[in-house]
Amino acid sequence: MTAEPPLLPKVSATSGGLDLARRVAPNHTGRLVLTTLDPHASPQRVLLVEMLAEKGFIGERLAQGEVAAYAIGPGFLSLLTFAGCAVRIRSEPDAGAPFCHIQVPPVREHPYLLAGRNTRAPRCVGCRARLLDWRERRAHWASHPHAGVTCPTCRETRPPWLWDWKQQGGFGRLFIQIEEIFPDEATPTPALFDLLIRATGTGWRHFYIQD
C-alpha cells in the first residue's frame, strides 16, 4: 500500500474553508507543471514531498484526499523566476477566489498526457509536420501506453511523448502542479531543478497548461 505524503499543519475550516474544486476559475489562469524528463519514471512521491517541504517550496497541507494540495512555502519565490518586476501572488484562500497553491497527484500507472485548452498540435521532431488529430488519440494512448504514432507526412513512428509539444503539454507519471500561474509567467530556477534531481535521481522538465 502506497504511503500518503506527509500531512503538514492544515488550514482550518474556520479560516475561510478550502474547497479546492471551486477555486478553479471559469477561465483558468493556468498552472506550471513539473514532471520527469523520462515519462516512465515514477519517483517516490512521499520522499519528494518531504524534500520540497524541507526546502520551503511547499508549506502547510491544505486538503485531505487522494490529491495532496499544499500552500506555497517560504522558499517558493526563491525557487521560481517570475517575469516582470512586480510579482503578485495570491497565496491565501479568500472567499472562494482562486489562489496559488501546489498539488501533487498520485503516481499514474503509465505515462499520461497532461494537456489543456492552450495545448496545440505537437510537431514531428523529424519533419515538423503537425499531428492534427492528437485529441482524438488521447484515449488510445491512455489504454495503450506503448503505442507508437506514425507521422502522416514522413511516416516515421515514435512514442507520443517524443513529439514536440513545446511547453504546452507533456507526458509523465508524476506531476507537480503549481496552480494559478499564467503560461510563461514563472520558470523553475536551476536550484529547483537541482533539488528535484537530488530528491528523485532523475531529470525534470516543465510546461504550462490552462483548463
Side-chain angles (χ1 to χ4, degrees), residues 95-113:
F99 67 103
C100 185
H101 63 281
I102 300 165
Q103 296 188 6
V104 188
V107 178
R108 292 181 176 269
E109 185 177 0
H110 303 293
Y112 175 81
L113 173 61

Side-chain angles (χ1 to χ4, degrees), residues 38-196:
D38 177 0
H40 293 280
S42 56
Q44 291 292 321
R45 182 173 171 233
V46 172
L47 296 179
L48 177 60
V49 167
E50 288 177 348
M51 177 72 81
L52 292 174
E54 178 184 332
K55 300 302 182 182
F57 186 69
I58 64 174
E60 59 191 3
R61 179 82 175 263
L62 299 178
Q64 301 282 2
E66 191 176 21
V67 177
Y70 301 90
I72 63 175
F76 178 82
L77 293 177
S78 68
L79 292 170
L80 294 176
T81 299
F82 283 82
C85 56
V87 179
R88 298 178 63 186
I89 297 293
R90 183 191 296 271
S91 61
E92 297 291 338
D94 180 22
F99 67 103
C100 185
H101 63 281
I102 300 165
Q103 296 188 6
V104 188
V107 178
R108 292 181 176 269
E109 185 177 0
H110 303 293
Y112 175 81
L113 173 61
L114 208 60
R117 59 184 165 89
N118 65 312
T119 307
R120 301 294 180 260
R123 289 185 179 273
C124 172
V125 296
C127 70
R128 307 305 295 167
R130 293 182 181 272
L131 188 66
L132 297 176
D133 63 347
W134 68 272
R135 291 188 185 275
E136 289 74 22
R137 296 172 181 256
R138 291 187 69 182
H140 179 75
W141 293 340
S143 59
H144 298 77
H146 302 293
V149 180
T150 300
C151 176
T153 301
C154 71
R155 310 308 298 174
E156 288 288 332
T157 299
R158 54 181 55 85
W161 47 84
L162 291 183
W163 286 65
D164 183 5
W165 295 88
K166 298 295 184 183
Q167 289 183 333
Q168 300 168 334
F171 284 82
R173 294 181 59 192
L174 176 66
F175 301 99
I176 300 171
Q177 302 175 182
I178 306 166
E179 299 292 335
E180 296 303 311
I181 298 292
F182 191 79
D184 296 318
E185 179 184 13
T187 55
T189 62
L192 178 55
F193 280 128
D194 288 344
L195 170 61
L196 294 170

